[in-house]
Amino acid sequence: DQQVKQNSPSLSVQEGRISILNCDYTNSMFDYFLWYKKYPAEGPTFLISISSIKDKNEDGRFTVFLNKSAKHLSLHIVPSQPGDSAVYFCAASASSWGKLQFGAGTQVVVTP
Amino acid sequence: KAGVTQTPRYLIKTRGQQVTLSCSPISGHRSVSWYQQTPGQGLQFLFEYFSETQRNKGNFPGRFSGRQFSNSRSEMNVSTLELGDSALYLCASSPSLLAGALRTQYFGPGTRLLVL
């Protein structure tokens, strides 16, 4: 049962434009959400997180938006850079510690 | 500070065999989690260990087991391998189970297992 879904397996965006990655979840107990970035042959690295008491968190070029009523979150990357080409995973947890449920990932390709 | 290391990096086994994967967490980290990554499924949580005790377990059959040693190093074992066990197995360590620990969870590069 996939409780965290990333319905877009891939996204192609031009350098300098905005990348928008989407993630939906079904478990209303989730209250902590994270985005990870993964390059080939490396493990995922933490990018940005948001707790359910917020609806937006920003860190440099990365902003995560949370819509609890829609059980939806999104990651915005502005501006997109070639080094952002990677697989992005959305993850959720029912507490600020505990096992993570991951989405299937979205492959982002930033073209010059 | 050295990162999370996993050995071996690549492994080929045949159906029915068993395999043991190793994970050395970042020095000082006491929590180790294991994940299985397959195409289209993302990362599936296997189990989490803290201070040599399994704290959380995912929905995997009993063929998947793990343990943690007193130095926080962890091993996972898969017995009676099946073709569907072919995956990237990732280990992650964090300092504790306290609030915010997920932000400080660091992943290793993974062990790619191929079952023939």
Side-chain angles (χ1 to χ4, degrees):
Chain A
D1 176 28
Q2 200 78 6
Q3 298 185 53
V4 178
K5 296 179 184 177
Q6 293 177 256
N7 292 320
S8 297
S10 63
L11 173 70
S12 183
V13 65
Q14 234 175 351
E15 182 179 1
R17 307 292 282 264
I18 183 171
S19 294
I20 299 177
L21 290 78
N22 294 302
C23 178
D24 296 295
Y25 61 97
T26 57
N27 190 338
S28 57
M29 298 298 292
F30 288 148
D31 60 2
Y32 196 68
F33 305 89
L34 306 92
W35 284 93
Y36 285 84
K37 178 178 178 179
K38 185 180 185 301
Y39 293 117
E42 294 182 13
T45 54
F46 169 77
L47 199 55
I48 192 169
S49 64
I50 188 168
S51 75
S52 58
I53 61 172
K54 291 185 170 184
D55 54 18
K56 177 182 174 182
N57 189 26
E58 195 170 351
D59 184 1
R61 297 186 297 114
F62 302 91
T63 302
V64 56
F65 297 91
L66 175 62
N67 182 334
K68 290 186 291 292
S69 60
K71 294 191 178 69
H72 177 83
L73 65 154
S74 61
L75 174 69
H76 292 205
I77 307 173
V78 185
S80 299
Q81 299 174 354
D84 296 331
S85 296
V87 178
Y88 290 79
F89 290 98
C90 165
S93 173
S95 60
S96 58
W97 60 270
K99 65 180 184 181
L100 286 172
Q101 299 280 353
F102 280 83
T106 296
Q107 172 76 60
V108 172
V109 175
V110 180
T111 57
Chain B
K1 203 178 218 184
V4 178
T5 57
Q6 292 187 244
T7 56
R9 292 293 310 275
Y10 302 93
L11 205 48
I12 300 175
K13 291 283 188 179
T14 56
R15 277 184 302 174
Q17 287 187 309
Q18 69 138 22
V19 66
T20 300
L21 311 182
S22 179
C23 171
S24 292
I26 290 172
S27 177
H29 284 195
R30 296 169 63 191
S31 171
V32 173
S33 298
W34 288 90
Y35 296 85
Q36 180 196 64
Q37 184 189 358
T38 53
Q41 289 292 316
L43 280 74
Q44 309 264 359
F45 174 80
L46 280 154
F47 23 67
E48 177 182 31
Y49 287 87
F50 183 81
S51 293
E52 302 177 66
T53 302
Q54 188 179 89
R55 302 289 174 152
N56 275 307
K57 189 176 187 305
N59 296 324
F60 278 81
R63 300 185 297 106
F64 292 80
S65 62
R67 58 178 175 167
Q68 187 180 33
F69 302 95
S70 57
N71 61 358
S72 294
R73 190 178 71 85
S74 178
E75 288 181 349
M76 67 162 280
N77 184 77
V78 187
S79 62
T80 320
L81 283 166
E82 300 177 359
L83 295 180
D85 297 333
S86 294
L88 180 67
Y89 289 88
L90 291 158
C91 159
S93 77
S94 61
S96 72
L97 293 176
L98 295 175
L102 289 176
R103 291 175 53 93
T104 54
Q105 189 175 64
Y106 295 90
F107 282 84
T111 294
R112 185 161 296 281
L113 171 65
L114 177 62
V115 182
L116 301 175

